[in-house]
Amino acid sequence: MSVFLDHASTTALRSCAKNALSDALEILGNPSSVHSQGRATRELLEQSRDEVAKACGANRSEIIFNSGGTEGNNHAIKGIFWDRVARDPECKVIISSRTEHHAVIDPVQWLGENQNAEVVFVEHFANGMIDMDSFKSLVSKHGHRVALISLMWVNNETGVISDIPAITKIAAKFDIPVHSDAVAAFGHVLIDFRTSGLTAMTLSGHKVGAPIGVGALVIARSAKPISLVHGGGQERSLRSGTMNYPLAASFAAAAKEAIAELDHEVTRLGALKDQLEAAVMEAVPSAIITAQGANRAAYNAHFVFPGTQSDAMLFLLDQKGVCVSAGSACQAGVLGPSHVLLGMGFSHTEASACVRVTLGKTSTFQDVQRFLTALEQVHPVALEATPA
Ligand SMILES: Cc1ncc(COP(=O)(O)O)c(C=O)c1O
């Protein structure tokens, strides 16, 4: 049986989420129908909205259920940008970061290439933290021309946590809406939409133990993003289409449990991660912890193993029964250098030699030991296999 240490890519389905899904699938009714069965599924949907809202510190009317992180990011970024530009054509600057997930970088770049957006990126320190002085200067320089800021809460590769309230405070001087991809944060660090100062935030269910294909865009009532889809007007007219109450119920159950366990898991996984990092550095002293010294999420360990290549390391570790990733998944299954590490200033060679180990609810001390044993066997082979 393989050891799964790739929980940032997707994590195990929680029993509560599975049960909520199968129970909801037994109930028949379109939540928009006015008859009693429709009202019953509507009630389930609204209870689910309430639970998700509670889990992220939002109001229930701020939760728009959708298919997950990619959709939420696209919706927030394009929708808010289009609305802002429609009001003022000169308001077309987007501030984001080179270390964002592709589900943010790609829509941002698409707007730059196709919709006349001016895209500017924040600077980072070598440990991945945002250089807040340079961010402040960028905001002051572009001021009221900034349509939108999109900066993630937790980086899915390095685990670096950004100070979102500090970011929104700076943006507030010019009334700039801020969106945050909180996919890697939700269920792992405490997030509170109400006090964050954010206009919009993206959540994905499968990162907290719900099935793949459900998530939410959390969006302030005051925001009027232009919708990506048009139709029946469901979900504040932001997500037309028959509302998926079974997946919403499943997401709500997973989110509730994840938040209830958060404190305990942060302590447990943080201790496991510390053990893992110390043991890796002892076994391979040349290894680099990519976000050393940064404020990091407890479940995430990310290394560069100089002289190796990520794909060789992942393949060899997999052969030993250990599933990890480099962090940068690619459709074709061919790993390029990590754009996150490049954005932090690592060289192309270093950014092609990373391994990400991410822990989750099912992770144990034995899993970490299996990884370490495999690493000790695999690392010399990967070094040997890498052309000088
Ligand atoms: C930070 C981050 N944003 C967005 C996504 C995309 O989420 P989804 O798979 O729900 O579309 C992911 C998934 O890997 C992610 O880690």
Side-chain angles (χ1 to χ4, degrees), residues 65-290:
F65 284 119
N66 62 16
S67 68
T70 304
E71 182 183 334
N73 285 339
N74 269 271
H75 204 161
I77 293 165
K78 292 176 183 164
I80 293 174
F81 177 80
W82 287 331
D83 174 58
R84 300 271 287 168
V85 167
R87 290 164 201 269
D88 174 2
E90 280 313 302
C91 181
K92 58 180 180 181
V93 174
I94 301 177
I95 299 179
S96 190
S97 154
R98 290 188 181 85
T99 67
E100 292 288 315
H101 190 275
H102 274 293
V104 166
I105 296 191
D106 288 23
V108 163
Q109 284 181 337
W110 182 85
L111 287 171
E113 285 157 18
N114 298 282
Q115 308 266 298
N116 213 20
E118 279 176 42
V119 179
V120 289
F121 291 118
V122 296
E123 299 292 326
H124 292 266
F125 295 116
N127 65 7
M129 300 286 288
I130 293 171
D131 176 343
M132 292 299 278
D133 287 336
S134 87
F135 170 66
K136 216 184 228 171
S137 310
L138 264 188
V139 172
S140 302
K141 179 176 167 198
H142 297 286
H144 292 293
R145 292 186 62 248
V146 183
L148 168 73
I149 294 169
S150 182
L151 292 169
M152 72 204 312
W153 205 311
V154 169
N155 186 282
N156 57 297
E157 289 195 21
T158 60
V160 169
I161 304 173
S162 291
D163 188 345
I164 294 296
I167 288 168
T168 57
K169 204 166 160 198
I170 293 166
K173 291 189 189 124
F174 295 93
D175 280 333
I176 303 166
V178 183
H179 160 255
S180 186
D181 175 345
V183 167
F186 187 49
H188 301 288
V189 300
L190 250 198
I191 57 176
D192 185 59
F193 186 69
R194 206 165 286 124
T195 55
S196 67
L198 289 170
T199 297
M201 178 170 87
T202 303
L203 309 177
S204 175
H206 72 103
K207 311 289 182 169
V208 292
I212 292 169
V214 62
L217 173 62
V218 187
I219 184 143
R221 294 291 310 189
S222 55
K224 304 281 175 236
I226 291 176
S227 186
L228 292 181
V229 282
H230 298 92
Q234 291 92 340
E235 302 287 298
R236 278 170 54 191
S237 287
L238 289 174
R239 220 303 185 129
S240 287
T242 302
M243 293 166 286
N244 197 331
Y245 60 92
L247 279 179
S250 185
F251 179 27
K256 186 177 177 185
E257 192 175 272
I259 298 306
E261 291 176 352
L262 192 142
D263 284 349
H264 175 260
E265 284 297 88
V266 165
T267 308
R268 188 181 77 85
L269 298 183
L272 272 185
K273 183 198 67 173
D274 289 348
Q275 281 173 338
L276 179 127
E277 287 184 348
V280 166
M281 295 313 293
E282 204 180 313
V284 186
S286 61
I288 301 164
I289 297 171
T290 58

